[in-house]
Amino acid sequence: MSKQIFIAGPCVIESAALLDEVAQELARLNKRYAIDIIFKSSFDKANRTSLRSFRGPGLERGLQLLADIKERYGLRVLTDIHESWQAAPVGEVCDVLQIPAFLCRQTDLLVAAAKTGRVVNIKKAQFLSGKDMRYPVEKALESGAREVWLTERGNCFGYNNLVVDFRNIPDMLDIVPTVIMDCTHSVQRPGGGDGSTTGDRRFVPSMALAAKAFGATGYFFEVHPTPDSAKSDGPNMLPLAQLEEVIVSIMKK
């Protein structure tokens, strides 16, 4: 069985203390299970529902904190970019640059990410099929990307809900060899919380196992020690204490 990719971390950088707490647990899991969890957190949540929502510390401070995590715990790090000018400085620190789902057709963003030489993880838009992701991948590869991943995160048909068509996973495996299942964003209820996004984290483990059945090669979990007090995406984040059990369930043959 090929080695699975795991991506985990808090939705947004809230504090250095939070990043340390999560990174310590990820480093422990890496050592115990001989895996390679990539640490994820966002320096800026540029697509929050409300203008009043917490966005993060910004690029300069965020990259400093991510670099500290990388050095202190030996973890690879991933963050998302929203504008093409962010790609170069993020590429100096992060091992994987993530393209948000709503922006996966933005040519300049894909080109800039590709030129960094880092892995480019493109999240499938909520309005596209898996087969449609051929074109963002082509943009990245033709712009110099050496490795491109795709991530499934559900489709939106309005009414504050997402639906996951797991057939998108094998469809995207026809395009690239690495397809990640975003197990936490896929249980969101976008804009369903009167000015914020809600979700239902109880379905996260099932999302992971269903994705495994359809051939996913990696799994993305936003985690937090106390999700109900998180500043972004709390309702659909997995409690940090539950991550080990979910990873073990995926690794079982």
Side-chain angles (χ1 to χ4, degrees):
M1 182 178 176
S2 60
K3 190 172 184 179
Q4 301 289 297
I5 294 171
F6 294 99
I7 301 167
C11 177
V12 66
I13 298 172
E14 298 178 16
S15 67
L18 171 65
L19 298 194
D20 275 330
E21 183 174 356
V22 174
Q24 286 174 14
E25 175 64 3
L26 300 191
R28 183 188 72 82
L29 295 176
N30 272 347
K31 183 176 181 180
R32 178 168 185 179
Y33 297 104
I35 54 180
D36 182 19
I37 303 177
I38 301 170
F39 183 94
K40 181 272 172 186
S41 198
S42 298
F43 59 83
D44 180 20
K45 301 300 292 184
N47 58 350
R48 297 299 306 275
T49 303
S50 170
L51 188 63
R52 295 177 294 278
S53 299
F54 179 78
R55 289 182 54 166
L59 178 67
E60 183 176 354
R61 177 61 176 157
L63 288 181
Q64 179 184 353
L65 290 168
L66 290 171
D68 289 345
I69 291 297
K70 186 174 181 177
E71 180 178 1
R72 190 175 301 129
Y73 298 100
L75 297 167
R76 291 195 290 163
V77 295
L78 173 154
T79 199
D80 37 20
I81 58 174
H82 292 84
E83 300 185 56
S84 55
W85 64 266
Q86 296 172 340
V90 171
E92 292 295 320
V93 173
C94 295
D95 303 276
V96 184
L97 274 65
Q98 183 165 276
I99 307 299
F102 282 125
L103 301 179
C104 74
R105 289 169 55 95
Q106 295 296 105
T107 300
D108 289 346
L109 189 63
L110 290 163
V111 170
K115 288 182 176 178
T116 66
R118 298 295 195 173
V119 176
V120 180
N121 182 33
I122 310 173
K123 300 187 80 172
K124 181 185 73 63
Q126 298 91 329
F127 49 84
L128 293 179
S129 72
K131 292 181 179 180
D132 290 328
M133 294 306 293
R134 165 189 168 189
Y135 303 103
V137 170
E138 287 178 352
K139 289 178 182 180
L141 291 176
E142 291 175 16
S143 301
R146 295 196 292 265
E147 186 172 357
V148 179
W149 302 346
L150 290 175
T151 294
E152 166 61 31
R153 54 101 70 240
N155 284 81
C156 189
F157 300 93
Y159 308 104
N160 307 114
N161 209 349
L162 292 168
V163 176
V164 177
D165 183 346
F166 288 96
R167 295 174 298 180
N168 283 324
I169 293 173
D171 283 346
M172 291 192 290
L173 285 168
D174 288 338
I175 303 169
V176 295
T178 302
V179 174
I180 312 292
M181 180 66 204
D182 187 337
C183 303
T184 45
H185 284 103
S186 60
V187 301
Q188 281 181 332
R189 295 187 183 275
D194 190 24
S196 65
T197 288
T198 61
D200 196 339
R201 69 175 71 98
R202 63 184 170 138
F203 295 117
V204 169
S206 298
M207 286 289 183
L209 293 177
K212 179 181 179 180
F214 277 83
T217 60
Y219 306 87
F220 182 114
F221 302 98
E222 287 193 329
V223 296
H224 195 285
T226 54
D228 289 335
S229 64
K231 295 183 178 181
S232 176
D233 269 358
N236 50 268
M237 274 201 283
L238 188 71
L240 181 61
Q242 295 180 17
L243 180 61
E244 181 173 10
E245 180 182 355
V246 175
I247 287 177
V248 169
S249 72
I250 293 168
M251 294 176 64
K252 289 179 179 176
K253 293 184 179 180

